[in-house]
Each structure stands twice: as structure tokens, then as C-alpha cells.
Amino acid sequence: MKGFFSFVRKETLHILRDRRTMLIVLLMPVVQLLLFGFAISVEVNNIDFAVVASHPTEAVRRQVERIAANPYFTFEGYIRQDEADEVLRTGEVGAVVVFADDYDRRTAGSGEPDGAAIQLIFDASNPNDASSGAGYLRSVLLAEGTGGAPTPELHLLYNPQMKSSYNFVPGLMGLIFMLICAMMTSVSIVREKETGTMEVLLVSPVRPLRIVVAKMIPYFLLSCVNLATILLLARFVLGVPMSGSVVGLVGLSLLYLVLALALGLFISTMADSQVTAMLISGMLLILPLIMLSGMVFPIENMPGVLQGISCIVPARWYIEAVRKLMVEGLPFAAVLKEFAVLAVMTGALIGVALGKFNDKLE
């Protein structure tokens, strides 16, 4: 064990002296988290709207003031009906609210539908903004309860403010941990092969398996630092709740880190150069992590074939479990299925990776 810890110390010092690696490993998670949390957002924060009303009565003005008081909308003034298309095309406004000439009569309880009294026109060149904005505006109008229609009561569970960070932070955790552990570990081992120092290490009294494990331990410890950093930033900077079991979240994340290390070892058995390792990591990790893990696109909306393929992507199970623990506030028992899947994947990947690595050494 003395020789084993000597290798761990050697690899740790090697990483600490490599400033570029330290910069990537420690700074990249912070930058990505803040970028996804603040800059990249699918939330609709402000929609400029104009109003078409030939006779702006007191009821119309009251409704317009009600919309303008909502933080999601900014009132830009009254326009004529023939100006609606022009202001939408030029981007002066994102929505136009058209009130019927007899709006007061239609909303006085005559029994006619509300849709005939108010027309909503949105610029749908950006479907997400148009869909979200229409939903917001419709909820504001329905809250008035005009026309004798029942007022719906809306409850948004787990993320009532519809913050994008609640969705991106769990996905980003799955992405960062996989990239750092797998990519950096695979490149580190391949670099030893490429420079010829791996043969020198293998003739030492320490067994090859312990040498490989010793090289992976520093990256595991760095990933633990990243885990603590991300959790602190998510909670106190982005405001993502830690509603569920924090101990369970940490335990699940540590298992995921081990899985990523095993994947890095597996990549190192297929690559003979650092460039090849980076290309394999890019093809095997980045695209599936983004496209098939549920980080950005809901898995339920994918074709059946892609849903099946996503089952072999470890990040899918990790991200799903993290969302349950962080956002939904469920106990650890609710993610036992995901934990078991990740544990099986970890065991299988460690066995295959070590087997191929030993074969390649021979």
C-alpha cells in the first residue's frame, strides 16, 4: 500500500502542476453552471404588447391595466387594427390584444363565449415565446372571470416560478461529472502510453490495477470538490432547492463519479493517442448526454427507438434521480430504481474496462 499511495501522490502532484488541467477541471463547472443558470434561459421574462380597442371603455382600460401590472408584460400603447400586422412584423411588440367593439356587452353576462370578446395575436416566429406568452396572458385574462365563466385555479408544483435553472442544474451535473471524470481520466492514461511512461510504471513492484486506480483517485477527489461547488452554487446563487435527501443526493453522485471513471478507463483501452481519446469521448459522451439524457429534451417526447437507446445512457438515470431529490423533494427510497440501474452499470463497466485494459497490457 505504500507504493500505491506513492503513485497517488505522484499523480496528484502531476495534476497540480498542470495549470491548464486544473483550470479546466475546476473552472469549467462554475462557468457552465452560471452560463446555463443565467444566460441560457427558456423562460419568458418580458413581452411587449399593444392593444386594439376602437372604444377603450372603462372595462377595457381596467383589463389592460391588469395585464400591464403583470411583470411578464409591458404595455406599448393603443394601435389601430390595420397596424397590428406591421408592429408584429417589425418586432415592435410580441403580442397584440384585440378587444371587440362591444366588449362591455359581451362580458356583461350575456352568455357568449369569452373568445369572441378578446382576440390574442402573437408573433410565433419563436414558438417557445409565443406558446409561453399566450399561456401567461390567457391565465391573466381568465383570472378576471369575465363573461360568467368559471375562474380556473392553477397550481404549479415543484417549480412555480418556471425557472430554467431547476431543469438545467440536474442535467448540468450529469454532463460535467461525466466529462471531467471520463474524459480527463482517459486522456491521462493515454498520455502515459503515448509518452512511453506507462511501461516504466508497469515494471514497478505495484500491480497494474493499483497503478490505474491510483491515477483515477485524484480525478475522483477533484470531482468531489466540483460536486460541493455545484451544490453550493445551485442552492445559494441559482436558488435551486435541496428539498429531498441531501445525503442520498451525495451518495448517488459519488456512485455516478465512479461510473464515469470506469467509462474513462474503458475509453483509454480503445485509444492509442490523446487526440483519439478526445474524439471518442466527444462522440460517445457529449451528444448522447445532451440529446438522450433528458437534460434538454423530454425523453417522453422522443420516438420509441430513441427512448430505448436512452436507457443505456447513464446520465438519463442520474439526471432523473437528481431532479426527484433536488426539485421534487422526494426521499431516497423514491430513486432506488435509478440507483440500482447506475450500480449495475458501474459494476458491468468496471469489469469490462479492467478486462480489456489487462488484455491490452498483455
Side-chain angles (χ1 to χ4, degrees):
M1 292 302 295
K2 182 179 180 181
F4 172 76
F5 286 115
S6 296
F7 274 103
V8 173
R9 181 176 180 274
K10 179 198 77 71
E11 189 63 25
T12 302
L13 292 175
H14 177 75
I15 294 176
L16 293 176
R17 290 168 183 167
D18 188 348
R19 295 183 179 180
R20 289 179 299 179
T21 300
M22 289 293 295
L23 188 67
I24 293 174
V25 172
L26 295 179
L27 187 60
M28 183 181 69
V30 176
V31 173
Q32 286 190 331
L33 186 68
L34 297 178
L35 180 65
F36 276 78
F38 289 110
I40 301 178
S41 175
V42 297
E43 303 166 20
V44 177
N45 296 316
N46 181 67
I47 299 177
D48 297 329
F49 76 99
V51 173
V52 174
S54 56
H55 304 289
T57 62
E58 180 61 30
V60 171
R61 288 194 294 269
R62 184 172 61 249
Q63 194 70 281
V64 172
E65 291 173 358
R66 182 183 183 85
I67 300 173
N70 190 287
Y72 292 108
F73 299 96
T74 301
F75 179 47
E76 296 296 337
Y78 291 92
I79 61 174
R80 299 191 308 271
Q81 178 71 54
D82 57 0
E83 296 176 327
D85 183 70
E86 180 65 21
V87 296
L88 287 171
R89 286 182 182 275
T90 58
E92 295 179 33
V93 299
V96 174
V97 182
V98 182
F99 289 87
D101 293 340
D102 54 349
Y103 173 78
D104 289 8
R105 182 182 64 82
R106 292 174 184 267
T107 58
S110 61
E112 296 188 34
D114 292 338
I118 302 177
Q119 182 183 33
L120 308 180
I121 307 174
F122 273 82
D123 174 11
S125 57
N126 187 325
N128 178 70
D129 287 353
S131 176
S132 301
Y136 292 163
L137 186 53
R138 187 171 181 272
S139 64
V140 172
L141 294 172
L142 286 178
E144 180 79 4
T146 58
T151 302
E153 186 175 350
L154 179 64
H155 293 279
L156 298 175
L157 300 179
Y158 314 127
N159 187 9
Q161 295 84 17
M162 300 292 288
K163 292 184 177 179
S164 299
S165 57
Y166 283 36
N167 176 57
F168 281 123
V169 168
L172 193 58
M173 291 172 63
L175 176 65
I176 289 175
F177 296 152
M178 185 63 71
L179 289 180
I180 289 178
C181 290
M183 188 178 293
M184 295 295 103
T185 302
S186 64
V187 171
S188 173
I189 296 176
V190 171
R191 183 172 59 240
E192 299 282 5
K193 298 180 185 177
E194 200 173 19
T195 57
T197 55
M198 179 61 77
E199 287 78 5
V200 177
L201 296 176
L202 294 178
V203 297
S204 66
V206 182
R207 297 177 57 184
L209 176 60
R210 292 189 176 182
I211 294 175
V212 174
V213 174
K215 291 187 68 64
M216 293 191 296
I217 285 179
Y219 289 101
F220 176 79
L221 296 177
L222 283 176
S223 298
C224 291
V225 174
N226 285 328
L227 172 62
T229 302
I230 288 177
L231 291 180
L232 291 174
L233 288 175
R235 179 66 186 91
F236 296 106
V237 177
L238 299 177
V240 180
M242 303 290 175
S243 306
S245 172
V246 177
V247 175
L249 176 62
V250 173
L252 182 76
S253 299
L254 293 178
L255 174 63
Y256 187 69
L257 295 179
V258 175
L259 187 151
L261 290 171
L263 183 57
L265 177 61
F266 178 74
I267 293 174
S268 70
T269 65
M270 298 186 293
D272 295 321
S273 66
Q274 298 180 60
V275 174
T276 305
M278 294 293 290
L279 290 175
I280 295 175
S281 300
M283 290 186 295
L284 291 181
L285 301 181
I286 296 179
L287 286 180
L289 279 173
I290 295 176
M291 304 297 293
L292 299 177
S293 66
M295 173 184 176
V296 179
F297 309 105
I299 295 176
E300 296 78 10
N301 296 346
M302 299 178 184
V305 176
L306 292 182
Q307 291 188 32
I309 296 175
S310 71
C311 292
I312 64 174
V313 178
R316 170 194 171 168
W317 304 99
Y318 176 72
I319 293 172
E320 186 176 333
V322 170
R323 284 174 177 162
K324 290 180 180 180
L325 293 175
M326 290 183 66
V327 181
E328 298 181 22
L330 298 178
F332 184 73
V335 298
L336 288 179
K337 173 185 174 182
E338 290 82 1
F339 186 86
V341 171
L342 290 176
V344 171
M345 287 184 175
T346 302
L349 199 53
I350 289 176
V352 173
L354 290 179
K356 288 183 65 66
F357 194 81
N358 289 331
D359 292 342
K360 199 160 186 176
L361 290 179
E362 295 174 359

